[in-house]
RNA sequence: GCGACCGUAGCUCAGUUGGUUAGAGCGCCGGUUUGUGGUACCGGAGGUCGGGGAUUCGAGCUCCCUCGGUCGCCCCA
């Protein structure tokens, strides 16, 4: 490789082979399950006006303040490559009058962009699948959404991942809890880790899931959200949990699970690999495989009417790491043209076999004597050698015993003559 | 943004305390053999050792800078 050759941008990936197959498998499975739950497919632009994200995620969040790919276009507008799906979907809901379809269940997938330090399961261009229910304020919507996520994971063959569930309460409950946490931690501020001292100002809820040894002694006695829940919020959460039980979705209560983005209310959740499981191993420190919650405040932030909504997103790369090796694509037929005179015969055979719906690979380059060996290395059900013997064209057809494609290919070749 | 480790052929990796022309396996291309569910042998192409600078008679190896990769922190899917 010349040193002039441009390199890929940091944190982007070129996905090939079995990785690409695993990626496609995740997307295909999502699409299938999506239809099972009657979520409608939507396609969204990859960029939006910067304010769409700034207003909905909150100016002070890390995502907005230091991770967005923002730029000015030629008309002078500030645009941003989407760092997440929800804000754009909320914007589309308002600008397209999708209120008329409420409650609206939608799903999409595609690339997202965040300027972060790449590491395992984390990229600057990454991909998510996403599901949202907009305009539904009842806990059944949360249950529906979580049941879908749970089934998706099971259909992907991922069984060592568990739903961690929490409630952040309504806006008032959340504020009261937050104030109590700040008060509690401020009293011991000097003993907290540096990170947590900073979090105390910016994002006190985050202290609860700090990994720092210095913080741990203070966590068990920290105020619990349950003490601040309004009756309404409590009833809501109970309806979610009992609904999950009825749907057969396993869950555990995670009192310290919070969401980083400001717009979340009530239900918050993450699917996390069980400790010591194979999935936990494969993901390293990027443990959350699917996460989301209720964001009743977001659409108002964008200037719309008060509109309740719930949603989740899952990293396709992370899921792909968990689904393991996919079976490689097997060709139906591998064709070796063992003489240059017969290349057109090979092309005709190739066309006829493909027209009948069989996948083929044709080997007609390089040393004629080695073409059969090359064709044999293609993972194919049927192997076809085309060679000349005593001036006659010979089709040498081979397969393992009982391969049903064999006879149909043989019939196609007979018609060819 | 912070920290640790790592960059040698297309891939996986050797390369001694700094010392001739940097190697192997696989893959690729070709020849011969075999004459068919993946043969064997022989040969060939392919490297400014990530890039730049410094030290030295001499650097793949030491030092500095830089770019990239991997993993962790932060944050998050």
């Amino acid at each position: 490789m010349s040193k002039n050759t441009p390199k890929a941008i940091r944190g982007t990936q070129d996905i090939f082979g079995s990785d690409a197959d695993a990626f496609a498998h995740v997307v295909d499975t999502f699409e299938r399950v999506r239809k099972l739950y009657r979520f409608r497919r939507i396609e969204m632009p990859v960029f939006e006006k910067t304010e769409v994200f700034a207003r909905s995620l909150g100016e002070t969040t890390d995502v907005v303040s230091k991770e967005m790919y923002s730029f000015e276009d030629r008309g002078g507008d500030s645009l941003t490559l989407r760092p997440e799906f929800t804000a754009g979907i909320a914007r589309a809901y308002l600008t397209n009058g999708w209120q008329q379809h409420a409650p609206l269940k939608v799903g999409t997938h595609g690339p997202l962009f965040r300027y972060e330090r790449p590491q395992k399961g984390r990229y600057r261009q990454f991909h998510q699948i996403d599901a949202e229910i907009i305009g539904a304020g009842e806990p059944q919507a949360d249950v529906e959404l979580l049941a879908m996520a749970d089934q998706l994971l099971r259909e992907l063959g991922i069984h060592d991942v568990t739903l961690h569930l929490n409630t952040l309460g309504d806006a008032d409950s959340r504020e009261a809890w937050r104030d109590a946490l700040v008060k509690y931690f401020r009293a011991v501020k000097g003993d907290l880790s540096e990170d947590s001292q900073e979090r105390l100002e910016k994002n006190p809820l985050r202290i609860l899931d700090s990994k720092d040894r210095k913080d741990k002694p203070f966590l068990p006695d920290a105020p619990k959200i349950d003490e601040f829940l309004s009756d309404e919020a409590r009833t809501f959460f109970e309806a979610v949990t009992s609904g999950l039980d009825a749907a057969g979705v396993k869950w555990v209560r995670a009192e310290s699970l919070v969401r980083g983005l400001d717009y979340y209310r009530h239900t918050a959740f993450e699917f996390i690999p069980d400790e010591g499981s194979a999935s936990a191993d494969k993901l390293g420190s990027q443990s959350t495989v699917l996460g989301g919650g209720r964001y009743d405040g977001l659409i108002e932030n964008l200037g719309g009417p008060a509109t309740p909504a719930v949603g989740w997103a899952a990293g396709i790369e992370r899921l792909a790491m968990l689904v393991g090796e996919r079976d490689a694509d097997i060709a139906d037929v591998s064709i070796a043209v063992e003489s240059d005179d017969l290349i057109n015969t090979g092309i005709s055979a190739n066309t006829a076999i493909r027209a009948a719906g069989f996948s083929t690979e044709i080997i007609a380059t390089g040393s004629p004597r080695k073409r059969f060996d090359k064709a044999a290395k293609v993972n194919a059900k049927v192997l076809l050698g085309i060679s000349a013997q005593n001036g006659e064209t010979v089709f040498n057809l081979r397969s393992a015993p009982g391969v049903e494609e064999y006879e149909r290919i043989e019939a196609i070749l007979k018609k060819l003559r």
Side-chain angles (χ1 to χ4, degrees):
Chain A
M1 183 174 58
S2 154
K3 69 179 177 186
N4 299 324
T5 306
K7 290 181 198 130
I9 291 168
R10 176 166 221 194
T12 64
Q13 8 163 36
D14 304 308
I15 309 175
F16 173 78
S18 58
D19 292 338
D21 293 339
F23 191 104
H25 176 65
V26 170
V27 173
D28 292 347
T29 307
F30 171 68
E31 281 296 286
R32 208 178 69 241
V33 173
R34 194 204 96 219
K35 288 174 194 158
L36 252 27
Y37 283 75
R38 305 279 297 161
F39 278 59
R40 298 162 83 166
R41 173 78 200 203
I42 52 170
E43 295 292 341
M44 303 299 304
V46 169
F47 54 178
E48 296 274 355
K49 284 188 179 159
T50 298
E51 62 169 320
V52 169
F53 305 111
R55 284 172 64 179
S56 43
L57 306 192
E59 298 275 3
T60 61
T61 55
D62 277 18
V63 172
V64 171
S65 62
K66 47 190 190 195
E67 294 176 1
M68 294 204 302
Y69 278 94
S70 299
F71 59 96
E72 219 175 74
D73 75 0
R74 288 166 189 275
D77 292 326
S78 177
L79 307 183
T80 294
L81 262 28
R82 63 185 180 196
E84 60 129 43
F85 277 117
T86 307
I89 293 173
R91 186 234 87 217
Y93 181 84
L94 293 172
T95 52
N96 296 317
W98 287 350
Q99 287 104 318
Q100 65 183 310
H101 302 295
L104 178 64
K105 301 198 289 184
V106 294
T108 190
H109 63 83
L112 292 315
F113 305 85
R114 249 120 97 159
Y115 189 87
E116 291 186 283
R117 195 73 183 268
Q119 75 196 59
K120 188 179 221 176
R122 167 199 253 180
Y123 306 94
R124 289 186 173 179
Q125 177 178 335
F126 60 105
H127 302 80
Q128 286 184 346
I129 51 180
D130 181 278
E132 315 276 349
I133 304 179
I134 306 178
E138 61 283 346
Q140 288 72 30
D142 305 44
V143 173
E144 164 102 336
L145 197 77
L146 283 164
M148 178 191 180
D150 188 66
Q151 181 163 359
L152 170 66
L153 293 172
R154 276 187 285 116
E155 299 226 356
L156 285 170
I158 301 168
H159 299 286
D160 49 3
V161 159
T162 303
L163 168 58
H164 290 230
L165 189 67
N166 197 17
T167 179
L168 304 172
D170 47 40
D172 291 342
S173 317
R174 185 180 157 146
E175 272 318 298
W177 182 40
R178 187 191 156 105
D179 290 347
L181 281 172
V182 170
K183 197 172 162 200
Y184 172 81
F185 284 119
R186 192 161 278 158
V188 295
K189 183 172 177 184
D191 297 323
L192 295 176
S193 67
E194 260 180 62
D195 280 336
S196 286
Q197 294 190 26
E198 217 172 289
R199 281 190 275 236
L200 194 50
E201 309 306 324
K202 275 179 58 184
N203 198 355
L205 307 200
R206 275 280 160 204
I207 300 175
L208 291 174
D209 58 0
S210 168
K211 293 167 195 162
D212 198 297
R213 182 167 296 168
K214 288 170 89 174
D215 299 331
K216 294 232 161 140
F218 303 107
L219 301 184
D221 294 329
K224 303 278 187 286
I225 176 67
D226 288 1
E227 301 160 23
F228 301 91
L229 248 28
S230 65
D231 288 348
E232 203 191 334
R234 189 185 316 278
T235 307
F236 188 96
F237 190 55
E238 276 162 11
V240 172
T241 57
S242 63
L244 288 172
D245 292 338
V249 177
K250 291 209 180 66
W251 58 277
V252 296
R253 178 70 196 275
E255 282 183 318
S256 60
L257 189 153
V258 297
R259 304 269 76 202
L261 306 177
D262 287 348
Y263 54 59
Y264 286 103
R265 300 283 181 280
H266 289 292
T267 321
F269 53 85
E270 291 179 9
F271 283 80
I272 300 174
D274 303 333
E275 224 164 297
S277 67
S279 288
D281 242 36
K282 287 178 195 160
L283 286 174
S285 70
Q286 310 305 314
S287 53
T288 301
V289 108
L290 183 152
R294 179 162 279 282
Y295 51 93
D296 291 350
L298 170 59
I299 290 180
E300 264 179 294
N301 286 354
L302 288 175
T307 307
V310 233
W312 56 251
I316 298 176
E317 287 88 349
R318 290 184 191 177
L319 289 171
M321 283 191 268
L322 301 188
V323 301
E325 292 281 299
R326 311 299 313 152
D327 287 336
D329 252 4
I330 297 175
D332 292 316
V333 190
S334 175
I335 304 171
V337 180
E338 298 186 82
S339 159
D340 284 339
D341 297 339
L342 296 173
I343 282 173
N344 285 334
T345 307
I347 291 172
S348 300
N350 202 14
T351 302
I353 295 168
R354 283 175 175 162
F358 296 105
S359 61
T360 70
E361 190 85 55
I362 185 164
I363 309 291
T365 57
S367 168
R369 307 180 108 167
K370 290 186 174 169
R371 289 180 198 166
F372 194 90
D373 283 346
K374 275 202 244 177
K377 283 183 185 167
V378 173
N379 191 5
K381 294 177 192 162
V382 179
L383 181 54
L384 170 61
I386 302 177
S387 56
Q389 279 169 32
N390 306 321
E392 262 185 63
T393 302
V394 177
F395 292 119
N396 176 13
L397 199 60
R398 303 185 58 85
S399 78
V403 169
E404 58 178 288
E405 283 85 354
Y406 184 95
E407 284 180 26
R408 294 184 53 196
I409 304 297
E410 195 176 37
I412 293 165
L413 293 174
K414 272 191 184 136
K415 269 192 237 162
L416 253 188
R417 285 181 214 216

